[in-house]
Amino acid sequence: VHLAESGGGSVQAGGSLRLACVASGYTYSAHPMGWFRQGSGKEREGVSVIDSAGNAIIADSVKGRFTISKDLAKNTVYLQMNNLQPEDTAMYYCGTDNIYCLTTYCLMSYRYSNWGQGTQVTVSS
């Protein structure tokens, strides 16, 4: 599976960005797919994932500000990010894998082995 992210950029606090991740190769709708981020000097953390049941799983740190959606026909997952804050600054990665997971277990980055190249999001105060 090849994953290609786009949509990152630089914004001021309070601004918005929309990330997109297109999957190509073998894909299956029950495989979880979503977004992770890694700030400078930090570990990669789960942001939001569509789990194997098709539910949107959102990390508490972004709940109410970020929304994930999936277009099955386009094999694309989106992350709408509103009210961005400086602490959201990070490289954002799209991840998926041939696994079955539900709920917040899907936010654990170690469960995934397929990653995109990442897209940088920088938020200035």
Side-chain angles (χ1 to χ4, degrees):
V1 177
H2 177 70
L3 302 174
E5 304 101 330
S6 62
S10 297
V11 297
Q12 290 190 327
S16 298
L17 286 171
R18 188 191 194 206
L19 306 183
C21 173
V22 181
S24 58
Y26 177 75
T27 59
Y28 181 52
S29 61
H31 292 164
M33 182 172 171
W35 294 95
F36 301 76
R37 68 186 181 186
Q38 189 165 14
S40 179
K42 297 181 179 181
E43 294 186 355
R44 191 169 298 187
E45 63 174 352
V47 175
S48 187
V49 172
I50 303 289
D51 74 6
S52 295
N55 298 312
I57 310 302
I58 312 288
D60 288 342
S61 58
V62 302
K63 198 166 290 183
R65 300 188 297 123
F66 291 11
T67 304
I68 192 170
S69 60
K70 188 174 184 180
D71 186 329
L72 290 173
K74 296 181 179 179
N75 282 335
T76 301
V77 171
Y78 302 96
L79 185 68
Q80 177 66 45
M81 305 185 294
N82 297 327
N83 190 22
L84 282 160
Q85 298 300 314
E87 54 266 34
D88 296 316
T89 294
M91 184 71 80
Y92 283 70
Y93 297 91
C94 180
T96 190
D97 212 320
N98 180 16
I99 59 175
Y100 183 89
C101 71
L102 300 172
T103 69
T104 54
Y105 290 106
C106 299
L107 293 176
M108 298 176 182
S109 62
Y110 73 85
R111 299 177 70 96
Y112 299 82
S113 60
N114 294 312
W115 298 100
Q117 80 286 354
T119 186
Q120 178 68 35
V121 172
T122 302
V123 185
S124 58
S125 58

